[in-house]
Amino acid sequence: MSGFLRSRRERLRPEDVGLPPGARRQIQGLRREEVALLAGISVDYYIRMEQGRGPHPSEQVLTALGDALRLTGDEHDYLRRLAGQAPIHVAHDVPETVLRLLERLDHVPAMVIDSCYDVLAWNRMMVALIGDLSSVPAHRRNRLRRLFDPANRTTANRLDLARRCVADLRASGRYPRDPAIRHLVDSLAAESQEFATLWAEREVEVQHTITKRTVHPVVGPLELDCEILTIPAHDHRLLLYTAAPHTPTHRALTHLHATC
């Protein structure tokens, strides 16, 4: 929590929160004293929190800090998780009801991922779109690793997707308490300077809809809208790839459906 508080304090200017800038300011962002004033807590209490020495803050204090630091809703949820306010629920098996749903989504490429971005299940249209994942070793089915793979030359907006997915991973609030997430972050940071840089920026944003631009070996360029739906009571998400009617991508998906 200490690093996150510091990063959010340093990104704000006094004028962003209604404070005078002052003369001869030698630090980046707000001073600790200014954050404490805005949040209505003591300076010593805030300093101890930012240094990782303080007690677990109450919900009231976390709300006040979120307001003082101008946190987004996702960032505020992330701060509460860091403070131990939200439990971590782990589920590994894809429910049978979800598997049946994948089968019924006959015209829509769809897959299920877990909190580590590992692909757990997919339908025939997803095979037509990205290939048969059953022929790929399980440890290589990770979509985040795919984004940072130097060999990935088909995703046209790869950097934008990478940035958003890294922010989404951090927003889960599972790092560093979840060993699987910690291993994923550590290994990606060691393998990819690009990932290490994005992770160090501490951006936090849950992703609900993203656009992916890619090139398919058969039907060519695609612009896909991806809806990310949470599966209730499980630590999984359902990803659905669609395109607006009468667009080249929609026609391409119709062609792929005819071949699968």
Side-chain angles (χ1 to χ4, degrees), residues 5-180:
L5 288 175
R6 188 181 310 111
S7 71
R8 290 311 179 257
R9 173 172 63 83
E10 291 176 348
R11 77 176 180 179
L12 290 174
R13 300 171 300 174
E15 50 266 39
D16 294 333
V17 295
L19 295 175
R24 297 182 180 179
R25 197 174 187 90
Q26 298 179 348
I27 67 168
Q28 178 181 347
L30 298 179
R31 298 186 177 96
R32 294 186 179 96
E33 295 84 354
E34 291 168 332
V35 175
L37 173 66
L38 291 168
I41 59 178
S42 73
V43 176
D44 178 67
Y45 183 50
Y46 178 76
I47 290 175
R48 284 187 288 128
M49 275 198 296
E50 194 170 290
Q51 293 177 343
R53 300 187 292 112
H56 290 294
S58 66
E59 177 63 29
Q60 182 179 2
V61 169
L62 292 173
T63 299
L65 280 174
D67 293 340
L69 294 171
R70 302 298 193 264
L71 300 186
T72 66
D74 290 340
E75 289 172 335
H76 200 168
D77 288 344
Y78 177 65
L79 178 64
R80 295 214 309 275
R81 292 190 184 97
L82 290 180
Q85 294 286 348
I88 289 180
H89 174 72
V90 180
H92 299 287
D93 297 325
V94 179
E96 181 63 31
T97 52
V98 176
L99 295 177
R100 290 201 299 267
L101 176 61
L102 282 178
E103 293 178 1
R104 295 297 299 272
L105 292 169
D106 189 49
H107 288 72
V108 179
M111 63 181 171
V112 177
I113 64 171
D114 64 12
S115 58
C116 287
Y117 278 71
D118 286 328
V119 182
L120 305 179
W122 55 92
N123 65 1
R124 288 186 300 169
M125 273 295 286
M126 184 56 68
V127 173
L129 182 63
I130 66 173
D132 187 3
L133 292 174
S134 63
S135 63
V136 178
H139 70 278
R140 292 181 55 197
R141 295 176 192 162
N142 186 278
R143 302 314 291 169
L144 199 58
R145 290 186 185 278
R146 172 63 178 164
L147 274 177
F148 290 95
D149 185 347
N152 183 359
R153 296 291 183 268
T154 61
T155 307
N157 60 333
R158 186 191 62 79
L159 182 57
D160 177 64
L161 283 178
R163 182 180 299 278
R164 296 183 65 175
C165 289
V166 169
D168 180 78
L169 182 68
R170 188 178 280 281
S172 73
R174 301 175 65 89
Y175 181 86
R177 292 177 293 167
D178 186 325

Side-chain angles (χ1 to χ4, degrees), residues 148-233:
F148 290 95
D149 185 347
N152 183 359
R153 296 291 183 268
T154 61
T155 307
N157 60 333
R158 186 191 62 79
L159 182 57
D160 177 64
L161 283 178
R163 182 180 299 278
R164 296 183 65 175
C165 289
V166 169
D168 180 78
L169 182 68
R170 188 178 280 281
S172 73
R174 301 175 65 89
Y175 181 86
R177 292 177 293 167
D178 186 325
I181 297 290
R182 188 170 63 248
H183 173 73
L184 176 65
V185 170
D186 290 347
S187 60
L188 278 174
E191 297 165 5
S192 169
Q193 182 58 51
E194 187 177 64
F195 174 86
T197 299
L198 291 175
W199 185 255
E201 292 178 1
R202 299 178 184 273
E203 292 301 318
V204 179
E205 183 182 7
V206 175
Q207 302 300 317
H208 302 287
T209 302
I210 59 177
T211 298
K212 180 178 181 179
R213 299 180 182 90
T214 187
V215 179
H216 190 275
V218 175
V219 296
L222 299 172
E223 183 168 321
L224 298 158
D225 296 319
C226 177
E227 294 295 326
I228 306 173
L229 308 178
T230 300
I231 299 175

